[in-house]
Amino acid sequence: MIKAVTGTRDTLPSDIPKWNYLQSIVESVFSRFNYKEIRTPIFEDTSLFARGIGEATDIVGKEMYTFLDRSGESITLRPEMTAGAVRAFIEHSLDKKQNLNKLYYMGPMFRQERPQAGRFRQFHQFGAEALGSNDPLLDAEMIIMAYDIFAQLGLKNLLVKINSLGVPASRENYKNILKKHLEPFFEKLSSESKKRVDTNILRLFDSKEENDRNIMENAPLLLEYLDEDSLQHFEKVKQALLASRIPFEVDARLVRGLDYYTHTTFEIVSGSVGSQSALCGGGRYNLLVKELGGPDIPGIGFAAGMERILLACENEKSFTLDEEKLDLYLVTIEKGLENFSYNTALNFRRNGLTVDLDYLNRSVKAQMREANRTNSRFVLLIGGDEFARGEIVLKNMSTGAQKNFGKDEYDKILSEIKE
RNA sequence: GUGAGCAUAGCUCAGUCGGUUAGAGCAUCUGGUUGUGGCCCAGAAGGUCGUGGGUUCGAUCCCCAUUGCUCACCCCA
């Protein structure tokens, strides 16, 4: 048997309603904040991600689905959306059309990792990007939108964490201070952390090694070394969050994995999923647009993992959806009337009802069971004495009451069903 | 890439201290009025016990390998 490739999943008809529900909430929240949807290709030139996300990151280093196409181009399935959105923004000079572009997206992403609870190789994200303003209110807006979406889904067990990485100058300065501080402890660090001292020293705060954690416990924090502008920016973000009544905490150890972040970074984690608990993450990236060959324009964005969100919703039973119902099921009692039933069904379908009927030549009992199984509100019985008199019988499946109609009285039947 | 656990019917799982016809619940199908659902009752269908090899008179059960899944690490949404 051929099965879905490792880390990919089928979304079966029974799964679709909750996905649609999630998507409808995402769309409604984003559009109320006046974000416009953007769709970009699922694959891009490999160099876009190498430059945009950063060569040193795990995503680029070991997780991308990269291949040569038939003409020898190196192609990569998008592992995240920001790089593609920014590429499109630059390519179409969106900054020339309006000063601030507020964009959102939804779609599949690809990373070749070992699957785990809440992690897949093809997974889905929604997210937003605001390009063209350094206003801290936009930083807060991202967090508010994400939080509002989660809240509308009924999620409870959430924690908003924010931090600031400042600007490159103060960050470089701080990195040197941190490096000096760690020198006496260097030999005690885990081997992974030793490598990171040179490549990405901030990530040492992320280490789960007991020993590393102890060492980092007393390390100086970046927040203490931010320049004045960065501190003010961060302060305004916090004020906006306070005003929005979203609970948050400053986590000076929150360091995000992508190279392009400046100033604000944030993450919302759920206590209701497994160890992959980040439902969304994002931050400001004032250098990325320029890095990708565009104008010197600031940006901020976030991305949220839809599988993780739905997992949290299921574990918390945070919402329930109505059962899917049919308006009408046609039961043909008598052989030879199949065409009449079929055409009658078609007529009601064209009048906006959700209608089905038997295609398996089954007994009346089996047809009734099918009507029940599909949660049909009404059944139309076709055949027998009534049909010989020119009538068909409408049965209300919740009350069991039956009513006769002339077999051409579609309008009467329609209004009976619609009320 | 590393580690651990699991693999029996469509689904969720029993079970065999190695022995002949491998079970349950749910789901499916048929019947219980010649033309009426849900509940109930009766019955049916459905499994080469993940795959390959080994041990044995005999393996679904023990051993080895392999594949897949799950969870965790790394990292991330």
Side-chain angles (χ1 to χ4, degrees), chain A residues 190-361:
Chain A
S190 66
S191 59
E192 195 57 34
S193 288
K194 279 179 186 163
K195 276 186 241 161
R196 292 215 173 105
V197 167
D198 287 318
T199 55
N200 200 341
I201 193 166
L202 294 181
R203 303 232 51 148
L204 265 68
F205 284 112
D206 263 354
S207 177
K208 284 172 186 167
E209 296 280 336
E210 184 70 28
N211 212 18
D212 289 354
R213 292 193 91 101
N214 289 337
I215 293 169
M216 298 310 288
E217 194 68 34
N218 298 313
L221 295 172
L222 174 53
L223 273 180
E224 297 157 359
Y225 290 86
L226 289 186
D227 58 288
E228 193 52 35
D229 282 354
S230 294
L231 280 172
Q232 272 186 27
H233 186 104
F234 194 44
E235 200 52 42
K236 285 178 184 161
V237 174
K238 287 191 283 188
Q239 289 307 319
L241 285 177
L242 283 171
S244 73
R245 298 191 307 277
I246 286 177
F248 68 93
E249 66 175 49
V250 174
D251 182 354
R253 289 153 203 284
L254 176 65
V255 176
R256 303 197 47 78
L258 287 62
D259 278 0
Y260 51 59
Y261 288 118
T262 57
H263 289 293
T264 313
T265 60
F266 68 93
E267 201 170 271
I268 301 179
V269 299
S270 166
S272 302
V273 295
S275 72
Q276 305 305 315
S277 59
L279 298 190
C280 78
R284 184 162 276 287
Y285 47 83
N286 286 351
L287 306 170
L288 178 63
V289 180
K290 197 175 181 190
E291 170 64 27
L292 287 177
D296 189 0
I297 282 177
I300 177 155
F302 79 97
M306 298 173 79
E307 281 83 359
R308 277 180 199 180
I309 290 165
L310 288 175
L311 181 62
C313 289
E314 269 152 43
N315 290 345
E316 288 188 28
K317 295 188 177 21
S318 71
F319 64 82
T320 51
L321 298 174
D322 292 340
E323 280 185 324
E324 294 188 299
K325 284 183 187 293
L326 295 189
D327 294 317
L328 180 65
Y329 195 91
L330 281 81
V331 172
T332 308
I333 291 170
E334 200 178 320
K335 296 289 170 229
L337 295 180
E338 290 82 3
N339 278 342
F340 177 85
S341 296
Y342 186 74
N343 290 324
T344 304
L346 179 59
N347 196 307
F348 286 119
R349 285 165 168 164
R350 285 179 168 166
N351 276 286
L353 297 188
T354 303
V355 181
D356 212 348
L357 74 168
D358 176 60
Y359 296 91
L360 298 171
N361 238 310

Side-chain angles (χ1 to χ4, degrees), chain A residues 1 10 79 89 96 103 131 149 177 181 190 224 241 246 288 295 311 328 384 410:
Chain A
M1 181 169 54
D10 298 307
F89 170 84
K96 304 290 195 323
L103 308 170
L131 294 152
I149 288 168
I177 292 166
H181 172 85
S190 66
E224 297 157 359
L241 285 177
I246 286 177
L288 178 63
L311 181 62
L328 180 65
Y410 294 132

Side-chain angles (χ1 to χ4, degrees), chain A residues 165 167-178 201 222:
Chain A
L165 300 180
V167 295
S170 53
R171 194 152 78 218
E172 287 312 312
N173 178 39
Y174 163 75
K175 280 183 182 172
N176 287 329
I177 292 166
L178 181 58
I201 193 166
L222 174 53

